Each structure stands twice: as structure tokens, then as C-alpha cells.
Amino acid sequence: MRTLLPPPPPSSSDYSPHLASLAARILYPNPLPSATSNLPLYILSATAFPSARSTSYDDLLPYILARLPSSDDLLAGLEYEVIFLAHPAEDKKKLPGWQWLVHTYGLLSRVLRKRLRRLWVVGAERWVRVLVEGVMTVVGTAKGRRKVGFMREIQGLETVGVRVQEVCVPVAVWISEQRKKRKTGGDGGERRMGRRAFGVREPFPPRAGEEAVRLPRVLRETTSFLLMDECVKTEGLFRVNAKAVMVEALREMYERGQQFVIWKERESALCFPCWKEGMGNVSVVELEERDGFDVHAAAGLVKMWYGHLREPIFPQTCYQALGKFYGGVEVHLEPEQMVGMLKDDAEWTVLTPTARKILRMHLLPLLSRITDFGAWNRMTASSLAVCFAPALLKGPDIEEELRVMAIVTRLLEAMISNWKEHLAAAFQSAHGTFEDQLRLPEAVAEREDPVQEGDDGIQFKEAQMSGIMLVDNDDSASEDAEHEAGEGHLDAPPPLPIRSGAFPRSENELPPLPPRPRTSSVPEDARPPLPPRLRSSTIADIPSISPTSSPTQSPTNSSDNQFKRKPAPAIQPLPRYSMVVRSSSQQAATLEHIPFYNTVEQPVEEPEHLGSDPELPQYDSLSMTTIPRKPVPKPGQKGEE
């Protein structure tokens, strides 16, 4: 069997930094060990494979396998686990063929295959799964096949005990997962786990053991990355939109509580460490080799956070006040007026206490810093106000929101322009105070935001839940609540439903039905008598009742039955306009005493006594429209087609 040679040392002239960098992106150790076995965990990403037309995989293979545990550690008994993220790449043609996969598995040493505890293949297509199983069947053993497990999505690792929050997943894998959810219509994992950052009840979580609040993790990390030297000078910051699938993937990562979120823009990279009991602060190794989210994705995530606030900065209740006091174009805001709008103890302001706190602690200091680098990023206070104004409004009427947006843009522009000189000093927000808010908290409990369970994004109010109480029927408090409800108290809880034992078990025990409500406004005395019961003999026996007949007095005149339903209209004999009759004798035998007007060109004699009856309606046969019809064919004779 051919043995695999190790790569040349870094000091050698044959050493390739390019291949070493590619190998570091394809296979790398996870910062945290496996949560179930506490063994070293390695991540193998298929999205990082280079193009097979530009890179030789035979030369790349030694650099990849050199990143696995060394032979000395394996001989000492060290075991390891591997997560193969087999998500399809954008260019499927750049992946190596199955011959290279079989060849690679054959080059692995026996101790390397034996010390592999588990191999999880995540997000693989059907042909990849068949290929892996085929290779393990042909080259491997039955024991090796039992070590392999397949998952459709990365969230499925939770079923085998792997904490996805502690796995350093590449950016391309998160984007691939998000695109797959868009196609299948699946929801994010944050909807099953609660909410941490977006649309929560408390935008700024409290500090541990203090009444003060702090910035949430999503704002702390994104703002720290945006204010880096290379990022803050990016042209079109907050104006250039990032890919929607990338921003949505970031949102899901923060809602899930992902420990390692890597940000990278050119030569600047940032990833906050996480704290692990027994290990302390754990950072990502070889951060410069990892792929990360760019600066525009961070700016888009900040705007998404403001757009998903449960209560917007400028709610719909303040639209009328904004138009009344600040709607005029000639209105000029003085710094004293803006200070009065942002103070906590203001007598009157259009902003809510939460909105004032968010503007003072994060939004205005951030946008003011970005304007300091306007010569590089081409963003002024006016352009930033135009970019952020839509995220600060959220109302049902779009036309009204567009009218108010112009007012909000002028207010926000004035606050950004006056923040550094007038407003920051008034609120004791010096240059160092905002930087302190962005530092990694020393308390471990403050590094991650708490999960708000049962939060489904619907704006509930406390007043809606005040009347919902669970009170036992046998408790005396229930009787007091019913007594207060009878006296007209609005805060009394509603009565509980009847228990199942209180219903009768037989028809004899059924309670009497309540009387049917009387909806008629016609009194009983002014109502005509009801017609007699219809007989099933003939229509001619039905007496004619005229609606203009004189009313009669009702025999019942009780006070509880004063109003009854309106009487049914008088029944008139139905006129016969057209009928096909085979002969006059059959007609007389079938429709005796019924007026008949024939439209078929056959001589039919009408009985004289029917025409002279004054009670029956009279019709002029000459005024009727004659419809020509074909004669009825005789029995045994086919009709013309």
C-alpha cells in the first residue's frame, strides 16, 4: 500500500503557503471539544474546496491530513471526532471526483482510522451519501460503517448530543442552510428556542446585580466591528445593502446563541472569545484563515435590529404630535429642545423612555462616530438619517408613514450633528463611556443575552392579561369575585365554565329552554289571521286570502305574549304559462279545475267555469308571448335531429 508523505516543513523551499492556507480552511480544529465525549472535534468543510481545474488535490492532500492528530498522540490513545459539512458548493464542478475520495481513504493509516470515534456527515446530497457509504463498504469495515452518521441539516446535530452553539461553522455553510430553509419553507431554530436579540420585550438587558442596563450582544459585537479602522472607512456604510440571505443567517445565529461569530473585512478580523468552564476564555485559532461576515452585513444587521423593535423609536401614537410641533420645514431645533426630548425626567416628549435610552446609549453615538470619517466613507449626517429613518418607523398606514418619515429624518439629522458638541456632554456620555459599553463584559452571565421564552412576536399589553385568572369554584375568593362583578367592577375576573358533572345525564333532567326572542314589531291585535293548514288534495281547494282583508282581534291578549312574528304572505294559485299536453282529454283528466294557457300550436279548449271564477287571477292570452316549439313525436317515431 502506498504511504502518504508528510508535507514539507515551513522552512523548506518546497513548502507552499497557498496550499497550507487552503488546508486550514478545509479542515480545522473546533475551539471547543465535543460536549458528549470531551474529545477533540475537527470540522471538514466541503464549501472550502478549491477548483480542481486550478489546484492539484494530490498536492493538497498532505497539507489537509497533517492537520489531524499526530501519530504519537494517536498511539498514546487519543481519539477524535469529525463533522463533515458536505453542503453543496456554488460551483459543483470544482469538487474532486469519487476516485480521489477512495484514494484518500486508502492512504489513511490504520491508527488514524481506528482512533476515529464518530464521523457526522451534515447537509449531504443523496449522491454524496451513497458515495460515502459505498467507499466505506468497499474499502472499510463493518465497524467503520457504524461510526458514520448522516444529518440533513446542522440543527440535527443536537439529536446526537453535539451543541451547535459551540461549533465554529463557516459562513458559506450558514448561507447554504438559510437558502435551503427558504426553498423548503422551514423556520429558524430561534422560533423553537425563544428570542434573544430581535423583537424582545427588553431591548437592553439588565446588568448582573445592578439596576443599570447594558448593550445586547448583537449591538456590542457589530458596533465594535464597524468602528474598526478599515471598516469605518468603508465607502457607503449603511447605504450599501448586504445580501438578504447573509443578514438573515446572522440573525438566526444570534437568536440561537452561537458562540463564535467571525467578522472579517480585508485584513481586519474580529471574533469575541467565549468562556468555558475549566478552560476559561476560548478563542478561534487561525482567525485570519477563517471566512467571516463583511462590514455591510454588520451594518444591515444593526438596521434589522432597529426595524424589529417591539415598540419602534417613533410609534404611531406620536405621529400627530410630530406633525404639529416639528412638521414645518422652517422649524429649527435648538440643542436645548433636543436635550429636553432625550431626558429621562422630561415633562413632555414624543419619545418613549425606552426610545430615549436607545438613542442616547447606542444610535446617536454610533452615527456621530461614522460622520467623523465622512471623508472616507462618504456618509454625512443627512445621508445617515435618510438610511435609518425607515427602520425607526413602523405603522399600518404607509402613506402616513411616508409623511412622517420626512419629519423624522430632519430630527435625526439634527441630533447626529449636535451630538458630539452639545448632547453628549449633557448626558455625561464622554468619548470613553461609549467605548466602555462596547468592551467584552467581565461577568460571564453578561456575555450572552437571556432567552425570553414564549415570545412569538405579538405585541401583548399587560392590560390584556389582567382579567385572566384561574380561581377554584370552591374557593371563597371566587364568590367575592362574582359579588364584585355583579356590582359593576370592571377588574373582576370572568366566571369559570360549568364543570362536566353539572350537566344532566338524561333527557328528563334537561333544563327548560328559554323563551324564543320576539323580534317582530307588529302587535298581536294588528295582525291578520293565519291561513288554514294546507291540504294535499288539489291547489283549487286552497282558499284565496287577500292581504287587504280586515284584521281580526286575537283571542290571546296577555302581557308576556304581546308581540309575535309577522304573518306569512297570502298564498296565490300558481299561474301556468306553458305546458306540453299530448291531448285535450288527458289535459282535462290531469289538470282539472286549474287554469291552463297553452303555448303550443294545438287547439285546447278552456273550461268556461274557470274563466268566470272571480277569485282566480285573470290573464290575457293575447298578451302572452308565444314561443314556437316542435311538436311532440308520437310513440315509436324518432324525432328529427
Side-chain angles (χ1 to χ4, degrees):
M1 179 181 293
R2 177 186 172 186
T3 59
L4 181 65
L5 299 177
S11 58
S12 174
S13 59
D14 297 334
Y15 181 80
S16 175
H18 175 65
L19 295 179
S21 177
L22 291 177
R25 297 180 180 181
I26 296 174
L27 181 64
Y28 56 91
N30 193 61
L32 294 175
S34 176
T36 56
S37 59
N38 201 25
L39 294 177
L41 184 63
Y42 288 84
I43 309 299
L44 178 61
S45 177
T47 57
F49 283 157
S51 176
R53 291 170 291 187
S54 59
T55 304
S56 175
Y57 274 85
D58 294 337
D59 298 339
L60 179 62
L61 183 59
Y63 291 89
I64 296 177
L65 298 181
R67 303 185 61 82
L68 292 173
S70 61
S71 301
D72 296 338
D73 296 336
L74 296 175
L75 293 175
L78 178 65
E79 296 182 337
Y80 65 99
E81 297 178 357
V82 176
I83 297 178
F84 179 30
L85 301 176
H87 294 75
E90 296 181 359
D91 186 8
K92 296 182 180 180
K93 296 182 179 180
K94 72 178 183 180
L95 297 178
W98 62 271
Q99 298 89 348
W100 181 83
L101 183 62
V102 175
H103 175 67
T104 301
Y105 188 81
L107 293 179
L108 298 178
S109 61
R110 181 176 181 275
V111 65
L112 195 61
R113 287 180 288 180
K114 185 178 181 180
R115 294 302 180 186
L116 175 63
R117 173 73 65 88
R118 289 303 301 269
L119 171 62
W120 289 288
V121 182
V122 182
E125 296 182 355
R126 183 174 299 179
W127 68 272
V128 177
R129 179 173 179 175
V130 173
L131 181 62
V132 173
E133 290 181 350
V135 172
M136 296 295 294
T137 302
V138 175
V139 186
T141 59
K143 185 177 180 181
R145 289 195 300 270
R146 289 194 296 267
K147 297 180 181 180
V148 182
F150 296 89
M151 305 293 173
R152 291 186 178 181
E153 57 181 6
I154 194 171
Q155 192 66 25
L157 293 174
E158 298 283 351
T159 60
V160 294
V162 179
R163 296 195 59 187
V164 183
Q165 295 86 347
E166 298 180 355
V167 179
C168 184
V169 182
V171 176
V173 174
W174 288 118
I175 296 177
S176 178
E177 288 272 333
Q178 195 62 36
R179 288 175 177 170
K180 186 185 301 183
K181 289 178 181 178
R182 284 188 173 186
K183 292 181 180 180
T184 58
D187 57 347
E190 75 279 358
R191 305 192 184 279
R192 300 186 296 267
M193 303 173 58
R195 294 180 181 271
R196 296 177 182 267
F198 295 84
V200 295
R201 298 181 183 275
E202 298 179 359
F204 285 179
R207 290 186 177 273
E210 300 180 9
E211 296 182 358
V213 295
R214 59 177 176 85
L215 291 179
R217 179 194 170 195
V218 57
L219 292 185
R220 185 181 68 245
E221 295 186 359
T222 52
T223 306
S224 300
F225 178 64
L226 288 173
L227 295 181
M228 296 181 70
D229 293 338
E230 292 189 5
C231 299
V232 75
K233 297 179 180 180
T234 303
E235 185 176 354
L237 192 60
F238 286 110
R239 178 174 52 84
V240 178
N241 295 326
K243 293 183 179 180
V245 64
M246 186 178 296
V247 179
E248 192 64 30
L250 272 170
R251 174 177 177 258
E252 184 177 341
M253 292 175 64
Y254 278 101
E255 295 284 22
R256 184 186 283 114
Q258 202 70 24
Q259 297 291 338
F260 304 101
V261 181
I262 302 176
W263 305 94
K264 190 173 183 180
E265 181 67 23
R266 296 187 291 273
E267 300 298 331
S268 299
L270 178 65
C271 182
F272 284 87
C274 73
W275 187 86
K276 183 71 172 179
E277 186 176 358
M279 300 179 62
N281 290 329
V282 180
S283 303
V284 177
V285 296
E286 300 176 340
L287 183 61
E288 64 279 356
E289 302 295 342
R290 306 279 85 81
D291 294 332
F293 296 95
D294 59 359
V295 62
H296 296 296
L301 192 64
V302 172
K303 290 194 293 184
M304 177 181 284
W305 187 88
Y306 278 94
H308 282 72
L309 283 175
R310 178 175 294 271
E311 185 178 11
I313 301 297
F314 295 94
Q316 189 183 8
T317 55
C318 71
Y319 286 0
Q320 185 177 1
L322 286 173
K324 181 178 180 180
F325 296 101
Y326 310 103
V329 182
E330 68 281 354
V331 176
H332 179 71
L333 292 177
E334 298 294 337
E336 293 77 9
Q337 294 178 329
M338 290 181 283
V339 170
M341 292 177 60
L342 298 174
K343 288 195 307 184
D344 287 332
D345 55 350
E347 296 181 0
W348 181 89
T349 178
V350 296
L351 300 173
T352 60
T354 304
R356 284 174 274 174
K357 188 178 301 182
I358 294 175
L359 289 174
R360 295 195 312 262
M361 292 183 60
H362 180 260
L363 184 59
L364 295 180
L366 170 62
L367 300 184
S368 178
R369 298 288 178 85
I370 294 176
T371 56
D372 294 341
F373 298 87
W376 290 272
N377 54 37
R378 308 291 183 181
M379 298 298 294
T380 61
S382 177
S383 58
L384 289 173
V386 171
C387 295
F388 262 91
L392 307 182
L393 299 172
K394 185 169 58 175
D397 192 354
I398 300 180
E399 295 182 358
E400 184 182 9
E401 185 175 335
L402 291 176
R403 290 193 297 267
V404 178
M405 192 179 299
I407 305 174
V408 173
T409 303
R410 291 198 301 269
L411 286 175
L412 190 59
E413 179 184 357
M415 291 180 182
I416 297 173
S417 303
N418 292 274
W419 174 258
K420 188 175 182 180
E421 297 181 1
H422 303 91
L423 303 182
F427 298 108
Q428 298 179 358
S429 178
H431 188 275
T433 305
F434 182 57
E435 300 292 343
D436 296 338
Q437 293 283 346
L438 302 178
R439 291 194 180 95
L440 184 66
E442 297 180 0
V444 180
E446 296 182 2
R447 296 188 180 184
E448 186 57 76
D449 300 331
V451 180
Q452 298 190 12
E453 298 291 345
D455 195 341
D456 54 357
I458 303 177
Q459 298 186 7
F460 290 106
K461 295 182 179 179
E462 299 298 334
Q464 296 176 351
M465 307 297 294
S466 60
I468 301 178
M469 300 173 61
L470 297 178
V471 183
D472 192 3
N473 287 339
D474 299 334
D475 196 357
S476 60
S478 176
E479 300 178 359
D480 298 339
E482 294 177 1
H483 178 69
E484 293 179 0
E487 295 180 356
H489 292 274
L490 298 179
D491 297 336
L496 293 175
I498 303 176
R499 296 182 178 179
S500 59
F503 290 98
R505 299 183 180 180
S506 62
E507 296 182 359
N508 298 330
E509 300 178 4
L510 290 174
L513 296 176
R516 182 177 296 177
R518 305 298 181 180
T519 58
S520 176
S521 60
V522 180
E524 183 183 4
D525 299 339
R527 189 167 42 83
L530 295 176
R533 185 180 300 274
L534 299 179
R535 297 189 301 273
S536 60
S537 58
T538 58
I539 303 178
D541 297 335
I542 301 175
S544 177
I545 301 177
S546 177
T548 59
S549 59
S550 59
T552 58
Q553 299 292 335
S554 176
T556 59
N557 193 13
S558 58
S559 60
D560 58 345
N561 196 14
Q562 186 176 3
F563 298 100
K564 293 186 177 181
R565 295 183 179 180
K566 292 182 179 181
I571 300 177
Q572 300 291 344
L574 300 176
R576 303 288 179 166
Y577 299 106
S578 176
M579 197 170 195
V580 178
V581 182
R582 289 176 291 185
S583 63
S584 59
S585 60
Q586 292 179 356
Q587 173 203 8
T590 306
L591 302 175
E592 187 179 3
H593 306 298
I594 297 179
F596 173 74
Y597 300 92
N598 186 23
T599 58
V600 183
E601 297 180 358
Q602 293 183 7
V604 180
E605 297 180 359
E606 181 179 354
E608 298 179 357
H609 65 279
L610 292 179
S612 61
D613 191 354
E615 297 296 334
L616 297 177
Q618 302 297 324
Y619 298 95
D620 187 4
S621 60
L622 297 178
S623 62
M624 303 296 295
T625 303
T626 303
I627 303 175
R629 297 188 179 182
K630 295 181 180 180
V632 180
K634 296 181 180 181
Q637 181 181 0
K638 297 183 180 180
E640 297 179 3
E641 296 182 358

